[in-house]
Amino acid sequence: MPELRPAAMLRAMRMGERPVSGDLRAFALGIANGSVSLEQAAAFAMAVCMGPGLGEGGRVALTEAMRDGGAVLDWQLDGPVLDKHSTGGVGDCVSLILAPALAACGAYVPMISGRGLGHTGGTLDKLEAIPGLSVAGDVSRLRRVTGKVGCAIMGASERVAPADRILYSVRDVTGTVESLDLIVASILSKKLAAGLDALVLDVKCGTGAFNPDMEAAHALAEALVYTANGAGLRSVALVTAMDEPLAPAMGNAVEVMAAMEVLTEDTGCDLSEVTCELGGALLALGGLVPDAEDGADRIAGALADGRAAEVFGRMVAAQGGPGDFAHRWRDRLPGPKFVVEVGAPRAGVLASVDGRALGEAVAALGGGRQRPGDRVDPSVGLTGIARIGDRVEAGQPLAAIHAASEDDARAAAVAVLGAMRVADRAEASPPLVLGRVR
């Protein structure tokens, strides 16, 4: 390993120089083992944001080093090890559907997921709405459940990419979260450590996403794919629309319900369409089907015939949840104390939706976090959310609010009405898949 020279590297970065790969590797390994201080990590994050960046090669070097600073899983299984990552949006419960569908098609899916923060939801919070289910991240437990069931969805173990956990906490308090280089390294270091054979990246674009701008979303997709492939992980990215919630529900228990409706009732909604597109691309990349179109058909088949729902039920049981969840999920999930419908202010067409504002309304109800560590109420959220282009009459429900109190419901109603615009006509909605990066 190159000699660690953090101060010299930081001085060079301050002068506008890009760090060389060897210095980046030594620095990232130093963050993981504690020989680089938090102050130096903070200075590094700021230098990356303020300077010329790391460049494509530097991004690969940093990501690989962050992977190598902790445990790297090695699988000996009879199928490809696949996973998906989403950059975050609203009403996005694809992971709950895609993981078991991929497993039903012959893949293994050790999905390391995260929690919600701000206006976007977190997969782990959604799963924890299921009574008894544990998402505690442990390498041996992840191995055991994945090998037994075909998929597992858990949090990151402290042994996996420890430099990312430290660097992210520094970025959060120094205003450097938005750095493209650091976003890419953060996402991919954990995926590389999971020992995957292939990865599909769902880069969201729209008012409900962190990237409202198409150019920025495409740049992130390209950076993720280039870096993953440069580090030896086959990947493909889909840029998908996120101007409105992907599911007709937002919240934790209600999004589990939306996922279960796709798994058990073949609803044919936008949520299932995006799931099939992502799954099809990943099955093709993993070598299980000849092309993405055939893969999408395979995912649709696993949803339609109940195989994906059966796998999801076994995963829930293996992670401590009810053994009969796949059949009695409506009875097992927590319900709200108050349900209030929000009526359309006039007749017309739902012309636009501010996805971020809806996400913030759900967080204010208690369904999300304003800060790490905030308690989440799994029972609150929105259901029956109207879609852009839907024709409505005056007073017809645009959404139903699930709240813990009447005061919370009234405040959320004001926010929901402000986020959903009814007009005489709506502009044509964009396709769900806006672009692909291979």
Side-chain angles (χ1 to χ4, degrees), residues 187-236:
I187 291 170
L188 293 179
S189 59
K190 296 187 286 289
K191 296 302 182 183
L192 290 170
L196 306 177
D197 294 311
L199 172 70
V200 67
L201 296 143
D202 183 6
V203 179
K204 300 295 188 186
C205 177
T207 63
F210 283 114
N211 268 323
D213 177 68
M214 182 62 187
E215 185 176 348
H218 193 80
L220 176 57
E222 286 189 328
L224 285 164
V225 170
Y226 181 94
T227 304
N229 290 338
L233 174 58
R234 287 174 290 169
S235 67
V236 61

Side-chain angles (χ1 to χ4, degrees), residues 237-296:
L238 275 62
V239 180
T240 62
M242 184 48 71
D243 280 319
E244 61 182 328
L246 189 56
M250 293 172 60
N252 293 304
V254 294
E255 286 190 48
V256 176
M257 292 180 186
M260 291 308 299
E261 287 173 355
V262 172
L263 285 166
T264 60
E265 298 174 9
D266 192 20
T267 56
C269 60
D270 288 352
L271 180 59
S272 59
E273 182 180 337
V274 170
T275 301
C276 290
E277 290 281 354
L278 292 166
L282 191 50
L283 288 178
L285 203 61
L288 287 172
V289 294
D291 56 52
E293 184 177 355
D294 185 60

Side-chain angles (χ1 to χ4, degrees), residues 53-68:
L54 301 180
E56 294 175 341
R59 231 179 269 140
V60 173
L62 177 64
T63 303
E64 289 180 328
M66 288 170 64
R67 170 199 65 192
D68 295 340

Side-chain angles (χ1 to χ4, degrees), residues 27 31 34-44 166-167 169-170 174:
F27 193 85
I31 293 175
S35 60
V36 168
S37 69
L38 290 178
E39 292 83 1
Q40 289 170 326
F44 171 75
I166 296 166
L167 192 54
S169 67
V170 166
T174 55

Side-chain angles (χ1 to χ4, degrees), residues 64-373:
E64 289 180 328
M66 288 170 64
R67 170 199 65 192
D68 295 340
V72 180
L73 279 68
D74 180 30
W75 301 90
Q76 302 295 326
L77 298 168
D78 58 0
V81 180
L82 310 178
D83 198 3
K84 158 258 181 189
H85 177 82
S86 169
T87 57
V90 292
D92 179 7
C93 46
V94 166
S95 293
L96 305 183
I97 306 165
L98 182 57
L102 289 167
C105 293
Y108 290 88
V109 189
M111 190 173 283
I112 298 175
S113 295
R115 299 192 179 277
L117 186 61
H119 74 281
T120 62
T123 298
L124 300 183
D125 298 318
K126 294 165 193 175
L127 279 175
E128 286 184 332
I130 301 173
L133 188 145
S134 169
V135 297
D138 175 84
V139 170
S140 61
R141 187 167 180 252
L142 182 69
R143 284 184 179 278
R144 184 174 66 255
V145 176
T146 301
K148 176 182 177 182
V149 177
C151 63
I153 305 177
M154 298 181 186
S157 164
E158 291 189 358
R159 294 171 54 200
V160 173
D164 173 62
R165 185 175 62 258
I166 296 166
L167 192 54
Y168 189 89
S169 67
V170 166
R171 290 164 56 209
D172 192 36
V173 298
T174 55
T176 55
V177 172
E178 291 80 7
S179 163
L180 177 67
D181 292 327
L182 300 181
I183 289 170
V184 169
S186 177
I187 291 170
L188 293 179
S189 59
K190 296 187 286 289
K191 296 302 182 183
L192 290 170
L196 306 177
D197 294 311
L199 172 70
V200 67
L201 296 143
D202 183 6
V203 179
K204 300 295 188 186
C205 177
T207 63
F210 283 114
N211 268 323
D213 177 68
M214 182 62 187
E215 185 176 348
H218 193 80
L220 176 57
E222 286 189 328
L224 285 164
V225 170
Y226 181 94
T227 304
N229 290 338
L233 174 58
R234 287 174 290 169
S235 67
V236 61
L238 275 62
V239 180
T240 62
M242 184 48 71
D243 280 319
E244 61 182 328
L246 189 56
M250 293 172 60
N252 293 304
V254 294
E255 286 190 48
V256 176
M257 292 180 186
M260 291 308 299
E261 287 173 355
V262 172
L263 285 166
T264 60
E265 298 174 9
D266 192 20
T267 56
C269 60
D270 288 352
L271 180 59
S272 59
E273 182 180 337
V274 170
T275 301
C276 290
E277 290 281 354
L278 292 166
L282 191 50
L283 288 178
L285 203 61
L288 287 172
V289 294
D291 56 52
E293 184 177 355
D294 185 60
D297 290 341
R298 288 275 300 275
I299 295 292
L303 297 177
D305 64 17
R307 285 179 293 133
E310 189 270 334
V311 172
F312 186 81
R314 290 196 290 118
M315 185 193 78
V316 167
Q319 292 187 214
D324 61 354
F325 187 78
H327 304 287
R328 298 190 59 189
W329 51 273
R330 294 186 191 276
D331 301 329
R332 299 303 189 198
L333 291 164
K337 294 180 179 178
F338 296 91
V339 178
V340 176
E341 291 184 336
V342 179
R346 51 163 287 194
V349 175
L350 183 59
S352 65
V353 172
D354 185 339
R356 174 181 282 270
L358 289 183
E360 290 170 348
V362 171
L365 283 167
R369 295 178 180 82
Q370 306 300 324
R371 298 170 300 278

